[in-house]
Structures are given as structure tokens and as C-alpha cells.
Amino acid sequence: MRYDFGSDNTAGMAPAALDALISANDGYARAYGADDVTARAADLIRARLDADAEIRFVFSGTAANAIALSMLAWPHEAVLAHHAAHVCTDETGAPGFFGSGVGLIGLPGLSGKIEPLALQAMLEEPEVGHRQPPAALSLTQSTEYGTVYTEEELRHLIEPVKLRGHGVHMDGARLANAAAAGFDLTQIARLGVDVLVFGGAKAGANCAEAIVMFDKSLARRIDNRLKQAGQTASKTRFLAAPILGLLESGDWEAGAAHANLMAQRLAAGIATGSTFCLAHPVEANAVFVRMPPEAHQRLNVAGWACYRFDDGSVRFVCSWATREEAVDELLQAIATL
């Protein structure tokens, strides 16, 4: 089975990330994030975002998201998110676990983007003592369906939430792909996002993400929270170093730009050279295809790993490591279906 397009998690570490990890392994360094490698990585993230923030490195996006949401809502409250968001569909209740009962309210919207009218309607729902009221909004950039919010789209979602005094979280597992697609990272803090998960793993790092707290009050006792959650790395430099390598080399953006380009190549080939149609706009590194179950099964039998998503379409994901030759081989296989 070939996993070229199964997920951007199936690729190995990018060379710049691996080189930085090897470099960080040389000699001794202070433990628990007090080392120079971790400090430099945090500084580069602040520079990319053009914002001051408290930053911590953790082992997984799920933990990063769940811990971030637990900062924004009490156990008797809920978080609003797109119904297909990772926090709603793929984290096994982690936000509720880390948040001691924090709920999730799924909202509709085309291609992974929350519909503003649906958000407004939920915000205007009367609060009653029998259900969890919304206290925060979670946004995904780029979205689970490979689309990218514009600054204006984000503003229309964030402003009404902030007017009610609620918090805003952004899941940036594929933030590099959004940036490569033209999204201005410096707008995240200015739009009112309180806490961001800055993606590393899908951009070519190892299992490493950064929690970026623009609202520094959220960082009160953050180290205690992370320690209790099993997310404190004694050798934090090995989490921070790969992200440092990607940022110093420019490969955090360059690798994502390559992944996006390969997705465009794949989408164009499917649209013009097959009987199948695209299910969603291709704006980042994911391609969703309307494909009958029989055709999907034949593609799997032919050795191509690809998965049916919750809207019924089949998802193909490109990464920093995707080769043009692999895209063309996949297109030939799809054409035979």
C-alpha cells in the first residue's frame, strides 16, 4: 500500500527539521524548555506572527487544541466549531477530558468554513440552565476540507464572538499551507484570536506543535497545566528544534507551498482527465473527490491509500515530500477507474 496521499502525517521529517534535531542533540542543554533552542524557536514564531505571546511546545495537536480550549471555557460551558472540525470529529472527546466536561457545538458551513448566519443564530440562543452555553469559538486554518479563510471571513466570525466577551482559538495544524496560499499570519493576533496552535508535524517536523497564547493571562500556571496533562517534555529542545529548523530555513512555508502546488496538479488532472469531480475548492494541500465506493475500493486494491471523509468524498493529501511523479502515477491509476 502506498501512503503518498493518505495524509500529510505519513511523510517523514523534512531535511531542515531533521538536521536541526541532530544539531540540538549535540552536548548538554537546560531541561524543561529553559534551553536556547526552545527560546529561539519561540522567538521565530513570534516574528512570523508579528505578535508578542507566551509559547509552549507540546507532543500533539490534539493535546494542544484540547488544552487551549480548556483555557477558554469552563466545564459547564461549550465551544463553537465547524461540525467537521478536528476537535469535533477526531479527538475522542479530548476537549471535554482536558476541560473537565467542556462541550462542543458543531456549526454548519460549506467546505469546512463556518456559516456566519449559523454562528450568529447560536450566539443569540437564550441561555438556559439545562444546556452548556457557548463561551468560545474554535476556527481551523486551513480547514478540514482544504479551504482557506480570508481575513474578511475570519473577521465576520470573530467580531460577534468577541463582542460577547467570548474567547477564540485557532487550530493551525495546517497553518503553513494557509500561509503558502496567501493568508497573512500577522493578522491572527490582530483579528482577536486568543490562543493559536502553531502546526509543526504536518509541516515536516516530528510530533511537535506549539501553543501560542496571545492573551498572556491564559499562561497563568500553564506549566502546571501541561505537567498534569503529560505534555511537559523534559528535553523540550527536541520538540522545538525541528520547528526551529523549518522556520530558520524557510522550509515551513516552502514545504507547504510545494504541497499546495502538488494538490493543484492533482486537482487539475482529476478535473480534466477523469470521470470524477472535485467536492471542494482546492486552496491548500488537500483534494476531495466525489468517487463511488466501488471506484474507491478499486483504487485501494491497486495499492493507493486514500480515505473516505465524513461528507462522502475521498480525500487525498499532499505534503512537503510529495513528488510530481507520484501525482502523475496516481492520476493514471484514477483514469483507469
Side-chain angles (χ1 to χ4, degrees), residues 62 110 144 162 168-169 180 214:
T62 292
L110 296 175
E144 298 296 337
K162 300 296 283 190
V168 178
H169 155 261
F214 300 111

Side-chain angles (χ1 to χ4, degrees), residues 179-271:
F183 176 66
D184 184 358
L185 299 179
T186 67
Q187 296 304 311
I188 297 174
R190 295 175 185 136
L191 284 166
V193 173
D194 296 293
V195 56
L196 162 73
V197 174
F198 188 94
K202 291 177 172 61
N206 52 352
C207 299
E209 313 287 313
I211 301 176
V212 181
M213 293 157 280
F214 300 111
D215 178 356
K216 288 191 171 184
S217 70
L218 299 175
R220 181 175 181 269
R221 295 177 176 167
I222 180 61
D223 295 313
N224 306 84
R225 187 187 296 259
L226 293 176
K227 185 69 172 180
Q228 186 182 64
Q231 290 295 314
T232 299
S234 57
K235 299 181 181 181
T236 307
R237 69 186 187 275
F238 295 129
L239 291 180
I243 295 177
L244 173 65
L246 290 171
L247 293 174
E248 282 187 332
S249 65
D251 285 351
W252 189 78
E253 296 93 341
H258 172 78
N260 291 3
L261 184 62
M262 293 299 97
Q264 291 290 338
R265 184 184 184 94
L266 178 59
I270 290 171

Side-chain angles (χ1 to χ4, degrees), residues 43-315:
D43 283 342
L44 281 180
I45 291 174
R46 294 185 192 99
R48 286 295 198 283
L49 301 172
D50 191 27
D52 191 17
E54 281 285 337
I55 296 174
R56 297 293 187 276
F57 296 89
V58 297
F59 295 102
S60 79
T62 292
N65 285 332
I67 291 169
L69 294 181
S70 75
M71 300 174 185
L72 301 178
W74 289 98
H76 58 279
E77 296 175 327
V79 174
L80 300 166
H82 192 277
H83 67 80
H86 202 269
V87 295
C88 291
T89 63
D90 289 280
E91 296 188 355
T92 320
F97 178 78
F98 283 91
S100 301
V102 167
L104 295 167
I105 300 174
L107 297 175
L110 296 175
S111 300
K113 294 183 178 181
I114 294 172
E115 167 56 51
L117 291 177
L119 172 64
Q120 191 66 41
M122 184 56 65
L123 291 173
E124 292 173 358
E125 281 279 319
E127 291 190 13
V128 298
H130 300 281
R131 59 175 177 260
Q132 292 170 295
L137 172 68
S138 178
L139 298 161
T140 307
Q141 181 75 316
S142 57
T143 74
E144 298 296 337
Y145 284 108
T147 55
V148 178
Y149 281 110
T150 66
E151 178 186 337
E152 192 67 17
E153 288 172 330
L154 289 173
R155 181 175 289 108
H156 284 307
L157 296 173
I158 293 173
E159 284 185 352
V161 170
K162 300 296 283 190
L163 283 173
R164 285 165 172 77
H166 299 337
V168 178
H169 155 261
M170 180 174 284
D171 178 353
R174 295 185 175 94
L175 187 63
N177 300 98
F183 176 66
D184 184 358
L185 299 179
T186 67
Q187 296 304 311
I188 297 174
R190 295 175 185 136
L191 284 166
V193 173
D194 296 293
V195 56
L196 162 73
V197 174
F198 188 94
K202 291 177 172 61
N206 52 352
C207 299
E209 313 287 313
I211 301 176
V212 181
M213 293 157 280
F214 300 111
D215 178 356
K216 288 191 171 184
S217 70
L218 299 175
R220 181 175 181 269
R221 295 177 176 167
I222 180 61
D223 295 313
N224 306 84
R225 187 187 296 259
L226 293 176
K227 185 69 172 180
Q228 186 182 64
Q231 290 295 314
T232 299
S234 57
K235 299 181 181 181
T236 307
R237 69 186 187 275
F238 295 129
L239 291 180
I243 295 177
L244 173 65
L246 290 171
L247 293 174
E248 282 187 332
S249 65
D251 285 351
W252 189 78
E253 296 93 341
H258 172 78
N260 291 3
L261 184 62
M262 293 299 97
Q264 291 290 338
R265 184 184 184 94
L266 178 59
I270 290 171
T272 61
S274 80
T275 60
F276 308 115
C277 64
L278 302 176
H280 302 281
V282 180
E283 297 172 351
N285 65 320
V287 180
F288 292 81
V289 183
R290 296 289 180 206
M291 183 179 291
E294 297 80 5
H296 179 210
Q297 183 179 15
R298 287 171 59 194
L299 197 59
N300 287 159
V301 169
W304 294 94
C306 51
Y307 305 98
R308 193 165 295 276
F309 221 61
D310 61 357
D311 71 331
S313 63
V314 176
R315 188 187 76 165

